[in-house]
């Protein structure tokens, strides 16, 4: 009996198991759909803005500009009324505590006065504790807007002060020039014949017009300085251009790019349970003993039992990624080859772990206990249940003791960061190493059982041959005297 016969038998049995089909294919699709739609607001999918309540107790121009600046932030929409009435601090706090809005901002009544006098301004925010992951990001964005607005106001005030100083100095110089001009003019009138020289009213009007033009030019200079300062602030000469290792701009994943690979990695390891049950059922029914008694080597048995789970795992990954791509429009990155390599390595690890669990368990309760503990613990640590980027630094480091974290990070490199296969070689080798360790341990665990079964088969053959020889001898020894 070759390994192909064992593979066909196990595939047929596994695909006929409706529970296996549900757990391996339908259940992850349900998880991906539900969790992705539930987390859409967190990822700001389809341009949906997060609504933030704003209560302004200051009706000044400065507070109005501040609210407008908040509303210009991408992904943020300012709400100042509720059911047709202007928001109050008490109403905003109540709406946030009820979970209807994640955050509210209270602008104090002395906002403009404190801003003009360079005094400290305290803006109060109320946050929904149940949406802390979202509000913490919003809080940082609001702090950035506040600092930006304060800097803009400071720049405008500095421009006003400088222009005012220049204006005062210029007016002072013009006054001196005018006084000197009048003095010289009076002196000339006194020294010359008044009938010959008379004051030219046109000349005096021209001088007055010069003063007026200088005043207008100061106002224009003030406005130009403000415009240039604002342009310099909005478009700085030095900017930050975020790149990945492949020199592509880093982008934020959408819910499907996070959940499709995450739950694919998680449910790929559910094959462990079915591998353990397959071995246990064959031990109970005596099928495994009959296989061992047949002319089949230990390697044929191991390969024949491993291949079905590997093929089922690859089919599972292909279906889940195809579902994410064709149903939800999830991007598959820039390298299908890299995606295939990581998928092959992931299924290698999960199927090898299934063989390891199968070599350990002896009862149904052990299968349930070991499988659930191993699958859920590694999934939780590896970032498939909770995204790695929201974990504390220590947990992010611990996560990489699991193959889940390596596989999920590799998928993110391909789908989100658009890296190529050469950029994920390290993660690929680590996954292959995990699978090799699991497989070697499972071979070591099964070696005694397989050799014992083969030894039993040899003894049966020897016993049968001895029995045949004795029966032949008895027939030959019998006959007429």
């Amino acid at each position: 009996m070759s390994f192909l016969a064992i593979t066909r038998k196990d595939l047929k049995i596994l695909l006929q198991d409706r529970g296996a089909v549900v757990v391996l294919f339908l259940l992850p699709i349900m998880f991906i759909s539900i969790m992705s739609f539930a987390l859409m607001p967190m990822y700001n999918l389809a341009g949906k803005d997060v609504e933030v309540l704003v209560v302004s107790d200051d009706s000044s121009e400065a507070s109005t500009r501040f609210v407008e600046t908040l509303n210009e932030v991408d992904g943020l929409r300012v709400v100042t009324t509720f059911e047709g009435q202007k928001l109050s601090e008490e109403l905003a706090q109540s709406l946030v505590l009820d979970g209807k809005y994640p955050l509210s901002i209270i602008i104090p009544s002395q906002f403009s006065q404190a801003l003009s006098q360079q005094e400290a301004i305290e803006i109060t925010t109320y946050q929904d504790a149940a949406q802390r992951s979202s509000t913490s990001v919003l809080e940082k964005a609001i702090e950035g807007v506040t600092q930006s607005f304060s800097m803009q106001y400071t720049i405008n005030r500095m421009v006003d002060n400088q222009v005012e100083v220049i204006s005062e100095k210029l007016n002072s110089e013009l006054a001196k020039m005018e006084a000197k001009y009048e003095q010289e003019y009076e002196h000339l009138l006194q020294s010359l014949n008044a009938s010959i020289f008379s004051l030219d009213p046109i000349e005096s009007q021209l001088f007055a017009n010069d003063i007026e033009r200088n005043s207008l030019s100061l106002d224009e200079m003030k406005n130009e300085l403000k415009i240039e300062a604002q342009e310099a602030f909005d478009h700085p000469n030095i900017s930050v251009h975020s790149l990945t290792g492949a020199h592509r701009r880093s982008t934020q994943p959408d819910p499907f790019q996070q959940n499709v690979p995450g739950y694919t990695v998680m449910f790929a390891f559910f094959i462990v349970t079915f591998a353990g049950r397959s071995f246990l059922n064959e031990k109970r029914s005596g099928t495994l003993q009959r296989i061992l008694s047949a002319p089949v080597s230990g390697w044929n048995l191991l390969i024949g039992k491993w291949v079905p789970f590997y093929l089922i795992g690859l089919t599972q990954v292909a279906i889940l990624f195809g579902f994410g791509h064709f149903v939800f429009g999830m991007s598959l990155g820039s390298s299908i080859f890299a995606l295939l390599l990581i998928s092959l390595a992931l299924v290698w690890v999960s199927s090898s772990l299934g063989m390891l669990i199968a070599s350990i368990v002896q009862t149904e309760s052990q299968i349930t206990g070991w499988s659930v503990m191993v699958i859920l613990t590694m999934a939780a640590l590896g970032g498939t249940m909770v995204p790695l980027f929201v974990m504390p630094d220590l947990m992010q480091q611990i996560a990489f003791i699991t193959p889940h974290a390596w596989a999920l990070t590799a998928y993110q490199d391909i789908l989100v960061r658009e890296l190529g296969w050469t950029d994920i070689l390290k993660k690929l080798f680590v996954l292959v190493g995990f699978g090799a360790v699991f497989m070697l341990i499972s071979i070591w665990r099964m070696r005694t059982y397989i050799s014992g079964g083969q030894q039993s088969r040899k003894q049966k053959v020897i016993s049968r041959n001895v029995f045949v020889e004795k029966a032949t001898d008895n027939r030959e020894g019998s006959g007429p005297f």
Side-chain angles (χ1 to χ4, degrees), residues 207-435:
F207 187 82
N209 291 339
D210 289 339
I211 296 177
E212 185 177 355
R213 282 197 300 272
N214 288 329
S215 177
L216 292 174
S217 63
L218 285 174
D219 293 335
E220 293 176 358
M221 181 179 66
K222 176 180 175 180
N223 292 330
E224 290 176 0
L225 286 173
K226 284 186 177 182
I227 293 172
E228 290 178 4
Q230 187 64 43
E231 283 290 328
F233 185 84
D234 294 336
H235 304 91
N237 293 329
I238 302 175
S239 62
V240 178
H241 187 63
S242 178
L243 298 174
T244 64
H247 306 292
R248 297 180 176 91
R249 183 178 294 276
S250 178
T251 58
Q252 182 182 1
D254 59 39
F256 301 107
Q257 288 175 325
Q258 173 65 35
N259 291 321
V260 170
Y263 286 111
T264 297
V265 172
M266 176 179 172
F267 280 94
F269 283 85
F270 272 80
I271 201 71
V272 169
T273 302
F274 300 99
R277 286 178 179 170
S278 174
F279 268 85
L280 184 61
N281 291 335
E282 290 195 347
K283 288 178 183 178
R284 286 176 175 177
S285 63
T287 305
L288 190 58
Q289 285 76 11
R290 289 195 295 271
I291 293 175
L292 291 173
S293 64
V296 58
S297 67
W299 284 109
N300 277 334
L301 175 63
L302 286 173
I303 295 174
K305 299 295 291 183
W306 169 77
V307 169
F309 302 116
Y310 191 80
L311 295 177
I312 291 293
L314 286 180
T315 304
Q316 180 191 38
V317 172
I319 290 176
L320 295 182
F321 272 91
F323 178 80
H325 177 66
F326 292 108
V327 177
F328 297 118
M330 181 194 73
S331 170
L332 295 179
S334 59
S335 177
I336 299 297
F337 180 66
L339 200 64
L340 176 62
L341 288 178
I342 288 298
S343 299
L344 292 172
L346 168 66
V347 179
W348 158 248
V349 178
S350 62
S351 57
S352 298
L353 182 60
M355 297 294 290
L356 174 59
I357 295 296
S359 68
I360 295 174
V361 297
Q362 300 295 330
T363 64
E364 186 73 26
S365 60
Q366 287 182 357
I367 293 175
T368 304
W370 278 99
S371 300
V372 171
M373 183 185 71
V374 170
I375 293 171
L376 296 184
T377 301
M378 290 200 302
L381 286 176
T384 61
M385 292 183 177
V386 179
L388 287 173
F389 62 86
V390 303
M391 291 184 177
D393 292 339
L394 179 61
M395 289 295 296
Q396 292 185 28
Q397 296 174 6
I398 295 175
F400 286 93
I401 67 173
T402 69
H404 295 60
W406 292 96
L408 180 58
T409 305
Y411 277 131
Q412 293 289 345
D413 287 343
I414 299 167
L415 301 179
V416 181
R417 303 176 187 96
E418 297 186 350
L419 301 183
W421 68 273
T422 57
D423 301 298
I424 59 169
L425 285 178
K426 177 182 177 181
K427 300 177 180 67
L428 187 66
F429 290 146
V430 171
L431 288 174
V432 172
F434 269 111

